[in-house]
């Protein structure tokens, strides 16, 4: 394996070069990009020796640049300090980890409240619901396939829920996921391999290399006959069902909780059927540092043989491990795509 030294720059709140400030105490940086509902994370890792390094104040901002050269460096994210992890072992010594989060407004969205959404107050589609739900909490971008959907039954109620919990539930019921990113809220379409704007994300190329590890589990895709969700038909006064059929198997499933409308029941059944088709395999692949690798992107494996190469993979978690003046690896956790 040919070792390459990555370019790494961390900028503090005053524009200072933190690598100069931290010096040789910095032993590594771990950056994690997740697809589902969790803010991205950066961890700065240090050796801990006297005099002990000061802990930054909560919310202290950092900007991370990483690449294989200064000219080609990519901004991987903006992060704010959240907490410190200090530990030690007799043989390995002590370490300090500064754990930073990619979205500094997430706490604002945990406040519990109630709210209703209907056509009369400007909420005819899910795109309008998400825009009004996150008003004042950063820019919102919703995948077009989700944004254009009509509000199920013409009415939605958020009752004693936080903004983030209600949004997560609504997204999941419609085949989406909520992702906070750099002061923005993205509503992604699960399993699409697309950005929130509906554009195809660049495929992560994962060639086999005996110098890098991989680990995967794959089982035959579960074949369902139908998935159904119930709703109360207020005109008939009866509990009706919407079904999603399409699998060739004999098994079926009935979702336990009734939806509030026929449209909502249909969306729930479709989302559940899609999820069943996705979680049939998982993989973990490692490669040389890849600045273009992002969670949610499709992954193309080559050289691993059957059945890995023939399987459609989607990145769920992308982790960059950078050791200053030593090396940089990217690990990609994957699931099979529908």
């Amino acid at each position: 394996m040919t070792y390459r030294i990555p370019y790494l720059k961390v900028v503090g709140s005053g524009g200072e070069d933190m690598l100069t400030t931290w010096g040789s105490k910095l032993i590594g940086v771990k950056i994690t990009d997740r697809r589902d509902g969790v803010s991205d994370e950066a961890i700065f890792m240090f050796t801990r020796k006297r005099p002990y390094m000061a802990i930054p104040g909560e919310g202290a901002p950092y900007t991370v640049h990483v690449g294989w050269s200064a000219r080609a460096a990519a901004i991987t994210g903006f992060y704010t300090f959240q907490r410190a992890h200090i530990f030690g072992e007799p043989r390995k010594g002590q370490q300090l980890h500064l754990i930073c989060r990619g979205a500094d407004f997430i706490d604002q969205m945990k406040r519990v409240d109630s709210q209703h959404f209907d056509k009369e107050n400007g909420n005819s589609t899910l795109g309008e619901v998400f825009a009004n739900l996150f008003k004042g909490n950063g820019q919102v971008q919703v995948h077009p396939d989700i944004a254009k959907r009509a509000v199920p039954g013409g009415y939605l109620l958020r009752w004693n829920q936080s903004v983030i919990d209600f949004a997560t539930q609504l997204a999941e019921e419609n085949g989406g996921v909520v992702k906070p990113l750099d002061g923005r809220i993205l509503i992604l379409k699960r399993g699409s391999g697309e950005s929130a704007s509906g554009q195809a994300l660049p495929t992560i190329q994962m060639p086999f290399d005996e110098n890098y590890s991989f680990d995967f589990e794959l089982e035959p895709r579960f074949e369902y006959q139908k998935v159904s969700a119930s709703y109360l038909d207020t005109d008939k006064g009866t509990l009706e069902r919407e079904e999603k059929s399409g699998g060739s198997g004999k098994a079926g499933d009935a979702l336990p909780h009734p939806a509030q409308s026929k449209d909502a029941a249909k969306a729930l059944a479709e989302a559940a059927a899609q999820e069943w088709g996705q979680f049939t395999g998982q993989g973990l692949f490692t490669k040389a540092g890849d600045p273009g690798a992002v969670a949610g992107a499709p992954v193309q494996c080559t050289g691993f043989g059957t059945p890995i190469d023939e399987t459609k993979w989607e990145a769920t978690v992308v982790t960059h491990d950078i050791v200053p003046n030593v090396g940089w690896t990217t690990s990609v956790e994957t699931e099979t795509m529908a």
Side-chain angles (χ1 to χ4, degrees), residues 92-294:
K92 295 182 179 181
Q94 301 181 47
Q95 286 191 23
L96 164 66
H97 290 186
L98 301 181
I99 302 170
C100 303
R101 191 168 58 193
D104 57 3
F105 59 92
I106 196 75
D107 291 335
Q108 303 173 28
M109 296 185 288
K110 293 181 179 179
R111 186 175 61 187
V112 172
D113 206 343
S114 299
Q115 192 176 5
H116 73 275
F117 304 90
D118 54 27
K119 185 176 181 179
E120 283 66 32
N121 59 21
N123 297 281
S124 299
T125 65
L126 293 184
E128 292 169 335
V129 171
F130 282 116
N132 286 321
L133 183 64
F134 289 107
K135 187 178 294 183
N137 285 312
Q139 180 185 356
V140 182
Q141 190 168 23
V142 186
H143 190 283
D145 290 352
I146 297 175
K148 67 184 180 183
R149 292 191 180 187
V151 171
Y155 182 82
L156 286 172
L157 175 64
R158 167 191 165 205
W159 181 255
N160 287 340
Q161 282 181 287
S162 68
V163 170
I164 195 66
D165 286 345
F166 180 79
T168 299
Q169 176 184 332
L170 183 60
E172 289 178 349
E173 290 174 352
N174 289 276
V177 295
V178 179
K179 180 178 176 62
L181 179 67
D182 295 340
R184 296 175 293 152
I185 297 293
L186 306 180
I187 311 298
L188 306 172
K189 184 179 180 181
R190 182 186 292 274
S192 67
E194 297 174 345
S195 67
S197 65
Q199 300 298 309
L201 293 169
T203 298
I204 301 172
Q205 298 297 331
M206 190 65 65
F208 173 76
D209 187 328
E210 63 182 6
N211 295 296
Y212 294 98
S213 64
F214 70 95
D215 189 356
F216 78 99
E217 292 184 1
L218 191 65
E219 60 186 78
R221 184 176 296 278
F222 180 79
E223 290 290 348
Y224 66 91
Q225 184 182 53
K226 63 182 178 181
V227 181
S228 65
S230 63
Y231 69 96
L232 178 63
D233 188 321
T234 54
D235 293 331
K236 297 179 181 178
T238 57
L239 199 63
E240 303 291 335
R241 288 194 172 274
E242 277 291 311
E243 296 181 349
K244 170 63 177 177
S245 301
S248 60
K250 297 181 179 180
D253 190 26
L255 302 180
H257 302 296
Q260 61 183 350
S261 68
K262 181 177 180 177
D263 289 343
K266 182 179 180 180
L268 277 172
E270 290 178 347
Q274 182 188 34
E275 189 171 359
W276 276 18
Q278 282 183 307
F279 294 97
T280 58
Q282 295 179 326
L284 173 62
F285 305 88
T286 305
K287 63 181 298 190
D290 184 351
V294 296

Side-chain angles (χ1 to χ4, degrees), residues 32-37 40 143 177 179 181 186-196 198-204 278 292-300 312-319 331-338:
T32 304
D33 172 24
R34 295 180 175 87
R35 181 194 64 184
D36 293 353
D40 295 345
H143 190 283
V177 295
K179 180 178 176 62
L181 179 67
L186 306 180
I187 311 298
L188 306 172
K189 184 179 180 181
R190 182 186 292 274
S192 67
E194 297 174 345
S195 67
Q199 300 298 309
L201 293 169
T203 298
I204 301 172
Q278 282 183 307
V294 296
V299 180
Q300 178 62 61
K312 293 182 178 180
W313 299 98
E314 179 185 12
T316 56
V317 181
V318 175
T319 303
S331 300
V332 182
E333 296 179 37
T334 65
E335 292 173 354
T336 51
M337 298 178 70

Side-chain angles (χ1 to χ4, degrees), residues 298-333:
V299 180
Q300 178 62 61
C301 295
T302 53
F304 292 89
T306 304
I308 303 177
D309 289 358
E310 287 77 17
T311 300
K312 293 182 178 180
W313 299 98
E314 179 185 12
T316 56
V317 181
V318 175
T319 303
H320 300 282
D321 286 292
I322 305 116
V323 180
N325 300 316
V326 176
W328 168 23
T329 59
T330 297
S331 300
V332 182
E333 296 179 37

